[in-house]
Amino acid sequence: MLAVLAMSAASTTIAEAATAMRCSHQLPPAHHIAKVVDRWAAEVEKLSEGELDVQVFGADSLVKANDNILAVAKGDIECAFSLNFQWGKTLPLMNVTVGPYTMSSIEAWKKWPTSEAAAFLEEKLADKGVKNIAWMFQTNVSVFTSKGRALLKPEDFQNIKMRGLGPAFDRSLIAMGASTASMPGSEVYQALATGVIDAAITDVAAAYSRKYYEVQDHFTVVPVLAAYLHGYVTPSWYEGLSDKSKAALKQAGEAASGWAIEASQAASADAPKQLEEKGVKVHIATDAENEAFKAAMQPAFNEGFAEETGEDGKKLLELIEKIQ
């Protein structure tokens, strides 16, 4: 009996020792980066030897996408993952990779997690009340989705209403004649289905995993922007962790950066064919078409980004040049 009680007490102590880490994100389960987040969570638990109990809540099931940043900063939850452009006006520096045709090199992304540019952004994130713990490259291959006709040149965007990605990038869409609406990724499918918006721009793999092929019939593949998901935690919660748990987060974050690149490259390679198999028309933009998009979009984005970020933006672009 005493042995049973002792074992029970030991089990209780172990259970109490595990620190809960609730992590919210917006991606659907089938998304390639959602799977990387799950793999990261398992790695954190393994490396922390059970000190951290990582509970992942995807698809907006815990906190809505637009509320994740504030929820972590306030300590309502311990952890979240957001797409860079969800920082919007709060920290527009995060949108630097969204610049049309600015950072599409995979080699640059491999250098990103330990780069001066990433460290610079981590300092700015700390100033906004969160501690960054992981960088997960999501895509450098996007699609312009539409219904009835393909979007192949800037003139095709006249009078088209699209989901926007943030003020600076939206300028580049507006420069081509589109109007934009702000909404999280989880709401785009319904907006397309009901005609609230006419078209969208998204990661080519996300267009497949979110089933855009059910509500759009033309997909133009363009290397127009690079997007990433990043993980962050409440600083006060982080400071209360053991050195082992902190090291586990660091090591798992570095590993996940590599997994994300591998998963994203595979997803980007497979997605165009997967979309075609659903009966939609997929067009890979030609060099000439990309040059026309770049000429129309880049100046408008650069002007907006400069206005939003000032000297910090200029410095960040210089740091990014070092890893290109």
Side-chain angles (χ1 to χ4, degrees):
M1 183 66 176
L2 287 173
V4 172
L5 288 173
M7 288 175 65
S8 176
S11 298
T12 301
T13 302
I14 290 169
E16 289 175 349
T19 299
M21 184 179 182
R22 295 164 296 171
C23 294
S24 171
H25 70 76
Q26 72 180 66
L27 301 176
H31 195 287
H32 63 286
I33 295 298
K35 295 175 182 177
V36 173
V37 172
D38 289 341
R39 185 178 175 186
W40 163 86
E43 187 73 1
V44 170
E45 290 187 344
K46 184 183 82 173
L47 293 173
S48 71
E49 297 181 348
E51 283 188 5
L52 291 175
D53 174 20
V54 187
Q55 304 162 19
V56 176
F57 298 84
D60 285 344
S61 59
L62 181 64
V63 177
K64 294 297 183 185
N66 290 342
D67 299 326
N68 278 327
I69 294 166
L70 185 59
V72 172
K74 289 170 60 181
D76 293 341
I77 58 174
E78 296 78 28
C79 159
F81 290 82
S82 291
L83 291 163
N84 52 314
F85 50 78
Q86 285 173 325
W87 280 90
K89 295 179 181 178
T90 305
L91 187 58
L93 284 170
M94 293 291 280
N95 290 330
V96 65
T97 65
V98 180
Y101 302 90
T102 294
M103 189 173 164
S104 53
S105 163
I106 289 294
E107 290 308 310
W109 277 105
K110 289 178 180 177
K111 300 172 188 174
W112 175 263
T114 56
S115 69
E116 292 177 83
F120 183 73
L121 279 181
E122 286 173 353
E123 289 178 13
K124 299 301 179 181
L125 288 165
D127 291 342
K128 296 298 181 182
V130 301
K131 176 173 177 57
N132 201 75
I133 56 166
W135 298 104
M136 297 183 184
F137 167 73
Q138 178 170 321
T139 187
N140 62 346
V141 183
S142 306
V143 281
F144 291 131
T145 80
S146 54
K147 190 172 184 178
R149 62 185 176 88
L151 303 175
L152 303 178
K153 55 187 182 298
E155 295 78 12
D156 293 336
F157 287 75
Q158 285 291 330
N159 302 317
I160 291 287
K161 189 170 185 180
M162 302 182 68
R163 178 232 184 162
L165 299 182
F169 186 81
D170 290 2
R171 279 181 178 235
S172 68
L173 296 174
I174 293 166
M176 295 192 293
S179 60
T180 62
S182 177
M183 65 185 71
S186 57
E187 296 177 11
V188 177
Y189 178 98
Q190 187 65 20
L192 290 169
T194 57
V196 171
I197 56 176
D198 307 307
I201 177 171
T202 190
D203 163 24
V204 64
Y208 181 76
S209 65
R210 290 191 181 277
K211 301 183 179 181
Y212 283 18
Y213 52 80
E214 294 180 348
V215 290
Q216 302 269 269
D217 53 20
H218 285 76
F219 294 75
T220 302
V221 180
V222 283
V224 69
L225 63 85
Y228 58 88
L229 195 79
H230 74 112
Y232 51 93
V233 297
T234 308
S236 58
W237 175 85
Y238 176 85
E239 289 306 322
L241 299 179
S242 70
D243 287 345
K244 180 190 291 183
S245 290
K246 289 178 181 176
L249 288 173
K250 185 175 188 296
Q251 190 174 338
E254 290 172 353
S257 293
W259 301 336
I261 290 173
E262 293 168 1
S264 295
Q265 285 184 287
S268 294
D270 293 342
K273 183 180 178 183
Q274 290 172 327
L275 287 168
E276 284 184 328
E277 288 172 350
K278 293 297 181 179
V280 299
K281 294 184 178 179
V282 177
H283 172 75
I284 310 296
T286 65
D287 289 346
E289 287 166 344
N290 280 315
E291 282 303 315
F293 282 134
K294 181 178 179 179
M297 299 175 75
Q298 200 172 72
F301 175 88
N302 290 347
E303 183 181 352
F305 188 72
E307 285 183 10
E308 291 176 6
T309 61
E311 287 301 312
D312 280 345
K314 183 179 178 182
K315 180 178 179 181
L316 180 57
L317 286 169
E318 290 172 354
L319 293 175
I320 283 176
E321 276 299 311
K322 294 184 178 183
I323 58 173
Q324 294 284 32

